Amino acid sequence: LGLARLHGEDRDLATRIRKADQVVQGRVVLVEPAGIEEPRSEHAANWYRAVVQVASMIKGRPDAKMVTFFFPTSVDRMWKDAPRYTEGQEGAWLLHLKPNDYSRKSEMIPGLTALELKDFQRPEQMERLQRLATNR
């Protein structure tokens, strides 16, 4: 079953999985300010870091036990649609080093990120995520 035979939302998600640098399933065990110095700007992201205890590595380094990624907490229009993550949150994250759709912001991105709502998948989506990841 190739990408061409998938429909609608499955095709979009399969494409996002393909573009992701890592896809991890697990639980957020730590959320804290990232301590990243940013230029003074109305568009400052106010980066936080999330640490995920990995239950399953869907794409990426299979030996990883913990994965760290960054997310903005600013309410500025540049970052307003980016999801915020919390300790205890469970699911899967599609992590990107330099997301294409944020190319103008890429110099601001400190590492792996999950900036789009679709970059987080709820636990009940794991079977679908696994299926789409293996059909790349």
Side-chain angles (χ1 to χ4, degrees), residues 57-124:
M57 182 65 76
I58 297 166
K59 179 180 179 183
R61 294 189 355 256
D63 60 336
K65 302 285 184 247
M66 300 282 193
V67 170
T68 297
F69 69 92
F70 299 88
F71 64 96
T73 59
S74 170
V75 293
D76 178 74
R77 63 183 166 79
M78 183 178 272
W79 306 106
K80 69 177 175 49
D81 294 331
R84 310 315 191 244
Y85 302 101
T86 59
E87 286 183 22
Q89 190 171 6
E90 293 186 31
W93 289 265
L94 284 67
L95 303 174
H96 309 271
L97 277 171
K98 298 289 182 189
N100 293 336
D101 41 352
Y102 274 81
S103 57
R104 64 190 170 87
K105 302 175 192 173
S106 63
E107 70 280 356
M108 300 178 191
I109 296 172
L112 288 169
T113 60
L115 297 176
E116 299 288 328
L117 292 176
K118 291 179 181 179
D119 288 336
F120 174 73
Q121 298 292 314
R122 302 180 74 68
E124 56 270 18

Side-chain angles (χ1 to χ4, degrees), residues 26-31 50-54 66-67 86-89:
R27 182 174 188 271
V28 176
V29 294
L30 177 70
V31 170
V51 178
V52 174
Q53 185 172 12
V54 177
M66 300 282 193
V67 170
T86 59
E87 286 183 22
Q89 190 171 6

Side-chain angles (χ1 to χ4, degrees), residues 28-45:
V28 176
V29 294
L30 177 70
V31 170
E32 66 183 3
I36 295 169
E37 289 289 325
E38 295 182 80
R40 284 177 74 91
S41 162
E42 70 208 65
H43 301 304

